[in-house]
């Protein structure tokens, strides 16, 4: 029997971008509760860099990637509610840096009319992340003031737009003037060039010394300490990433001395753990894209074989908005 093969990007050891290899693999067979999808676009996210470097552990070899949109090719046993040819998207794809991949249907949603597969792949992970941060972790209200680091990044641009539609005031940080322009377009009222300015002093100036209600910090190591100083008493520090490196251990008494602050370190999986939450968040973000209410930037799109370059550009802060790989 002839076994159908596909191209995929795997790592056999952890390290720099050079450990990403283009390999031929058999197209996998869907098991119970799974479907096989043909991938049209796959999202590149920082988490794959953490796996590649070995910061997050995985059994090797592994095909990287978890976010993709495509069409259902084959159903596994016991699958209901999906049919061959359906346009679908998920953040739980088992190895999305590939031409085909398996997805558990518990984490699969249909792409509504008016949203392309490329848009779906571009928005699902970062959009649902921005959604839970703004609506659940620290539910923003009109008039709240939020500080969003890396405001021109994938999550940053979406979080700014969602916070703005709620009526919050959004202050962002970015590294360049070009990124500042994009962040303003997304709705930031004030943009701080944290590579040139002291962002803590700027936030205090912009809030007349009061501080902000919430900091959404995905940068981590280089911003964490000063971010705590930007909060008013009983404000919330939402540390949701480590783009500059992990935050070193710290003494919780600091939360007391800096104003009885709250600290959380959330992850998307705990906010889409039930089908109801997944459908709520996916439905909102895909619906907003369909209506043109959530704008996406997808100018960083690479062929699948160039996955290493995509990760280099992400790590070197060269990208804005979403990075996609197209098989
Ligand atoms: P971004 O597009 O935001 O890219 C990262 C950005 O971080 C860069 O563009 C850069 O913006 C900024 N940055 C600051 N310092 C550094 C540095 N030393 N090295 C690299 N980048 C730096 O990425 P994503 O939108 O994909 O993800 C943002 C963060 O959110 C990541 O840390 C990711 O792990 C996290 N995340 C967390 C989730 C969760 O549920 N907890 C889910 C999804 C993402 P600038 O040039 O303006 O400084």
């Amino acid at each position: 029997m002839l076994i159908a093969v596909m191209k995929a990007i795997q790592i056999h050891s952890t390290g720099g971008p050079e450990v990403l290899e283009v390999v031929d693999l058999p197209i996998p067979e869907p098991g119970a509760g799974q479907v096989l999808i043909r991938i049209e676009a796959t999202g590149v996210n920082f988490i794959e860099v953490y796996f590649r470097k070995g910061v997050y552990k995985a059994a090797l070899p592994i095909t990287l990637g978890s976010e993709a949109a495509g069409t259902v090719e084959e159903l596994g046993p016991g699958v209901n509610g999906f049919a061959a040819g359906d346009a679908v998207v998920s953040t739980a794809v088992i190895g999305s840096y590939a031409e085909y991949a398996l997805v558990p249907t518990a984490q699969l949603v249909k792409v509504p009319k008016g949203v392309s597969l490329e848009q779906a792949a571009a928005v699902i992970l970062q959009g649902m992340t921005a959604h839970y941060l703004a609506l659940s972790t620290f539910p923003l209200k009109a008039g709240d003031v939020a500080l969003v680091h890396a405001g021109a990044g994938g999550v940053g641009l979406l979080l700014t737009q969602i916070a703005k539609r709620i009526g919050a005031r959004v202050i962002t940080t970015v590294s360049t003037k070009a990124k500042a322009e994009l962040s303003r377009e997304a709705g930031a009222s004030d943009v701080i060039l944290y590579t040139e300015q002291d962002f803590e002093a700027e936030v205090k100036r912009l809030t007349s010394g009061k501080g902000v209600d919430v900091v959404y910090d995905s940068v981590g190591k280089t911003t964490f300490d000063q971010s705590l100083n930007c909060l008013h008493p009983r404000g919330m520090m939402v540390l949701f990433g480590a783009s500059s490196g992990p935050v070193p251990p710290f003494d919780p008494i600091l939360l007391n001395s800096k104003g009885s602050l709250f600290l959380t370190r959330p992850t998307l999986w705990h906010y889409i753990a039930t089908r109801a939450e997944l459908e709520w968040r996916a439905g909102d973000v895909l619906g907003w894209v369909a209506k043109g209410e959530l704008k996406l930037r997808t100018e960083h799109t690479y062929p699948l074989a160039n996955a290493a370059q995509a990760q280099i550009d992400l790590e070197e802060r060269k990208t804005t908005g979403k990075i996609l790989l197209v098989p």
Side-chain angles (χ1 to χ4, degrees):
M1 191 180 90
L2 214 57
I3 296 175
V5 292
M6 64 174 189
K7 297 282 178 213
I9 306 290
Q10 282 205 320
I11 57 167
H12 289 77
S13 58
T14 55
E18 70 285 350
V19 302
L20 294 178
E21 285 177 47
V22 183
V23 295
D24 287 322
L25 293 177
I27 295 178
E29 297 263 328
Q34 293 181 328
V35 297
L36 175 72
I37 63 167
R38 184 161 51 80
I39 293 174
E40 289 292 328
T42 189
V44 175
N45 292 288
F46 244 96
I47 192 160
E48 291 109 52
V49 173
Y50 304 146
F51 276 114
R52 192 202 74 214
K53 287 179 168 171
V55 179
Y56 288 1
K57 309 288 174 214
L60 301 178
I62 187 175
T63 304
L64 293 177
S66 64
E67 177 185 38
T71 47
V72 174
E73 194 76 10
E74 205 182 322
L75 308 178
V79 167
N80 293 311
F82 292 94
D86 279 349
V88 290
V89 65
S90 179
T91 60
V93 179
I94 304 166
S96 68
Y97 284 25
E99 290 176 303
Y100 294 84
L102 301 177
V103 195
T105 52
Q107 287 290 333
L108 190 66
V109 293
K110 288 186 189 163
V111 177
K113 283 204 171 54
V115 180
S116 69
L117 289 173
E118 185 193 75
Q119 287 175 313
V123 79
I124 198 73
L125 194 148
Q126 294 171 340
M128 291 200 298
T129 299
H131 188 282
Y132 86 72
L133 292 171
L135 276 80
S136 302
T137 307
F138 183 91
L140 288 166
K141 304 179 305 302
D144 281 348
V145 186
L147 173 63
V148 175
H149 287 300
V155 176
L157 287 170
L158 299 173
L159 179 54
T160 303
Q161 292 177 71
I162 293 173
K164 186 77 194 305
R165 65 182 280 137
I166 293 169
R169 174 182 173 198
V170 186
I171 301 172
T172 62
T173 59
V174 299
S175 63
T176 66
K177 289 197 172 74
K179 287 187 175 189
E181 199 47 49
L182 295 182
S183 179
R184 263 190 214 97
E185 274 172 30
S189 62
D190 308 276
V191 184
I192 303 167
L193 283 177
Y194 57 177
T195 37
E196 294 172 16
Q197 294 167 287
D198 175 342
F199 76 81
E200 179 187 334
E202 276 301 293
V203 166
K204 291 207 173 119
R205 184 182 69 76
L206 291 165
T207 58
S208 308
K210 189 168 172 278
V212 299
D213 298 288
V214 58
V215 180
Y216 296 109
D217 188 346
S218 64
V219 172
K221 189 175 172 185
T222 58
T223 47
F224 181 78
D225 289 347
Q226 277 189 291
S227 291
L228 293 177
N229 298 335
C230 293
L231 288 161
H232 63 57
R234 292 163 56 181
M236 183 174 289
M237 174 70 183
V238 182
L239 178 68
F240 70 99
S243 301
S244 69
V247 173
F250 86 111
D251 187 342
I253 196 71
L254 267 178
L255 299 174
N256 164 325
S257 59
K258 288 181 186 288
S260 300
L261 302 178
F262 293 86
L263 167 65
T264 183
R265 192 2 178 143
T267 187
L268 173 63
W269 312 117
H270 299 141
Y271 286 85
I272 51 169
T274 64
R275 188 74 204 169
E277 265 198 304
L278 172 68
E279 285 182 3
W280 170 41
R281 299 192 200 287
D284 273 1
V285 296
L286 293 168
W288 292 333
V289 171
K291 285 186 263 172
E293 293 173 11
L294 194 59
K295 303 272 186 255
L296 306 178
R297 300 197 68 93
T298 54
E299 54 264 38
H300 296 277
T301 297
Y302 305 70
L304 178 65
N306 291 2
Q309 191 59 49
Q311 289 198 351
I312 291 168
D313 291 351
L314 178 63
E315 282 186 275
E316 292 184 352
R317 303 166 84 161
K318 289 188 181 148
T319 63
T320 55
K322 188 66 195 178
I323 306 175
L324 290 175
L325 300 176
V326 176

